[in-house]
Amino acid sequence: MPDIDEMTMTKHPGALRRVLERLDEYEPVRRLVALARTDHKGRVPLTGLAGSSRSLILGHLAQKSAGRPLLVVTADGDQAADLTEELSCIV
């Protein structure tokens, strides 16, 4: 999934909405949402994503997870801060 930078979002504010609307077209995203909606001991692994794709998928998952809270673990505080900033633009 391509990275979506801040400049793109500023110039094309509807672009993010269109990307989020289309996420359910991808089978891996549909499977992830299905896992989040069922009880898997509260754990849904989300690995292998790079750049802002993490934020896009997490934002989408938060919207589709039937009101369940999400706990996201990052490697360090810098990654957590970056993810928080990106998510604030999505959710």
Side-chain angles (χ1 to χ4, degrees), residues 67-80:
R68 289 177 164 213
L70 298 177
L71 171 66
V72 179
V73 178
T74 62
D76 57 42
D78 289 339
Q79 284 185 5

Side-chain angles (χ1 to χ4, degrees), residues 52-66:
S52 59
S53 64
R54 289 181 195 110
S55 301
L56 287 173
I57 299 299
L58 284 171
H60 185 71
L61 186 60
Q63 293 173 350
K64 300 282 186 165
S65 63

Side-chain angles (χ1 to χ4, degrees), residues 3-46:
D3 282 356
I4 298 176
D5 62 22
E6 185 177 336
M7 189 64 126
T8 301
M9 292 297 95
T10 302
K11 290 182 179 179
H12 307 284
L16 179 59
R17 183 174 22 85
R18 288 190 299 276
V19 168
L20 291 171
E21 289 169 357
R22 297 195 65 193
L23 282 175
D24 281 327
E25 293 177 16
Y26 299 99
E27 179 61 27
V29 173
R30 286 195 303 266
R31 284 194 313 258
L32 183 65
V33 169
L35 279 173
R37 288 182 173 169
T38 59
D39 185 19
H40 286 274
K41 297 182 182 177
R43 296 181 183 140
V44 178
L46 184 60

